[in-house]
Amino acid sequence: MNPGEEQAVTAYREVVFATWPGFRPLALDLYVPARPVALCVYLHGGGWRAGTRAEGPGNVKDWRPGFFEHVAGLGLAIASVDYRLSGEATFPAQADDVGAALDFLAAHRDDYGITCDRTVIWGVSAGGHLAALAALTRAADQRPRHRPAAAVCWYPVTDLDALAEDIADAGGRPDRGPQSREGALLGGSLDDLPDLVTVAGPVHHVSPAAPPFLFLHGDADVAVPARQSHRLAERLLAAGAEATVDLIPGAGHMFPELGEPITRAITDRSARFLLKPVP
């Protein structure tokens, strides 16, 4: 393959990876290049209450080939997975679903031609929160196929308790009530659920074993201010882990201001980060 040439990609759709009693079956769509270097679990955004695994981040809907095919063509097998939305189940159901996807792919990846052991994770917005949580809570797992070796988070929530303060500081409208995105996720007002707020916050699960993190965040984001990425990055660096925050000038939540060339550039930047071997 010539430098810069993308690989052929095979797609496997509607692969059921979990069936919880009383809930819909959860499925993933898996995109596999001819010579995968790593397997990425991808988690969509939508405030934990909307979105589907068919959606790539931001404004990539018109890409041809699509976002997932493009990423896979770079050598990164990518599985876009379902997780239960907050209208279906409250936390920690979403974290359980991500864990089930990681375990399923660890056990069955060879069936889809993915023989490499390296697993990584990528999430956007609410999915970025879940990706960070999975990467940190599994950091000590000795099984490489079950443990993300690197994480990319685009405009993630990382500290639920501090989110309202960060939104207020950025000029937005904070809400800690049960009808907020965070309240719906946890099942009540944040002030009534302090223990759950802590458990659900990636900033509270940092350890020296944490994998490398790359954060991409718009500096004009009011819905989930960039301070959220900085909060987790600061904790990671203090613990001796690797963390990089790339701020996107003028970009708001989901990067609606960005044209296709810039969006492709940051997509490729993210994929390269996940493909990079750990020293």
Side-chain angles (χ1 to χ4, degrees), residues 15-17 30 39 102-114 145:
V15 178
V16 174
F17 68 87
L30 178 60
L39 171 59
L102 285 164
D103 292 340
F104 175 88
L105 290 166
H108 296 284
R109 61 204 286 159
D110 289 341
D111 300 340
Y112 300 96
I114 307 170
R145 291 188 170 198

Side-chain angles (χ1 to χ4, degrees), residues 88-128:
E88 299 174 291
T90 55
F91 187 86
Q94 296 74 21
D96 292 341
D97 297 342
V98 177
L102 285 164
D103 292 340
F104 175 88
L105 290 166
H108 296 284
R109 61 204 286 159
D110 289 341
D111 300 340
Y112 300 96
I114 307 170
T115 57
C116 56
D117 285 338
R118 181 175 171 81
T119 298
V120 295
I121 198 161
W122 183 347
V124 301
S125 194

